[in-house]
Amino acid sequence: MLFELERCGNKMRVYALSEDIYLHYNDLNTWEINIKNENFEINILNHGVILSLLPFLEVGREKIIEKIGDLQKWLVFPEIKLIEAGFLIGSEYWVDLSLTWLKESNPMNFDFFSEYLNQVFSNKVRYSQKVRHKAKKILKMINHKNF
C-alpha cells in the first residue's frame, strides 16, 4: 500500500505505506494515529508516534491536502507535529523532508521552527550544503518577514 484515504461518514483514515499505521480523523474532530489497531494522541514525546509519523512526510504535503479534500479536517491536521517529527529524528533524509513541508506550509509556522532551522544551518558535519541552504532560506524569510 502506498498512500490511501478511506472515508466513512465524517471519519477519515489516511494511510501511508502500511496498513498497520494510519492517521485517523475522529468523532472529536481531531486527528490521532493508529498503530497496529491502537489509537494514540499525536504526541511528539512518544518515540513510537514520532517514528510512525515519518512515512507521511514521504507522501508529501500537497498529496495529503488533495486527498483530505476538506478544509475543516485540514485546518486541524497535525502538520506542525509531523514536521517536527522529522526534525527530532535528525537524519539528513527526514530533516530534508521536514524542510520541504515547512517551506510549503503557512509562513506563520516558520517562527516555531527557528531553533531547529538554526541547528540545521549551523551543523556542517551532519547536514549537506543543500539541506543547510534550505534551512537558511527559511531563516531569511523569518528574519525579513518575507512571506
Side-chain angles (χ1 to χ4, degrees):
M1 171 182 294
L2 288 175
F3 173 65
E4 190 174 303
L5 181 114
E6 181 181 293
R7 296 176 194 269
C8 181
N10 191 39
K11 295 180 185 177
M12 179 181 289
R13 292 180 180 176
V14 179
Y15 294 87
L17 308 175
S18 167
E19 292 180 16
D20 291 339
I21 300 170
Y22 59 86
L23 292 171
H24 172 71
Y25 185 79
N26 61 31
D27 291 332
L28 301 173
N29 299 324
T30 61
W31 290 89
E32 56 194 2
I33 191 162
N34 184 291
I35 305 168
K36 296 184 179 179
N37 295 317
E38 188 175 348
N39 288 327
F40 294 90
E41 175 186 346
I42 299 175
N43 180 345
I44 59 159
L45 299 176
N46 180 328
H47 192 67
V49 167
I50 290 173
L51 292 174
S52 298
L53 287 172
L54 297 176
F56 295 95
L57 285 172
E58 291 179 307
V59 170
R61 185 175 187 274
E62 293 305 316
K63 212 178 254 188
I64 288 181
I65 290 172
E66 180 184 313
K67 285 286 187 181
I68 291 173
D70 180 321
L71 183 60
Q72 179 185 343
K73 289 177 176 76
W74 175 251
L75 289 174
V76 295
F77 187 81
E79 181 178 24
I80 299 289
K81 292 178 181 179
L82 184 59
I83 294 168
E84 190 170 14
F87 282 116
L88 289 170
I89 293 300
S91 76
E92 168 116 359
Y93 180 73
W94 297 116
V95 167
D96 189 30
L97 288 174
S98 287
L99 288 168
T100 299
W101 269 73
L102 181 58
K103 188 177 172 199
E104 295 171 359
S105 78
N106 184 333
M108 300 304 287
N109 297 334
F110 292 178
D111 280 337
F112 178 83
F113 291 100
S114 60
E115 187 176 326
Y116 291 116
L117 293 165
N118 278 308
Q119 288 173 2
V120 171
F121 177 64
S122 63
N123 194 331
K124 293 180 180 181
V125 175
R126 187 170 202 166
Y127 301 108
S128 68
Q129 183 177 8
K130 174 190 156 224
V131 168
R132 287 185 290 110
H133 280 240
K134 243 182 178 178
K136 182 181 180 180
K137 189 174 186 176
I138 297 170
L139 281 167
K140 280 185 176 180
M141 289 192 293
I142 293 170
N143 293 333
H144 295 80
K145 299 292 184 208
N146 189 14
F147 42 81

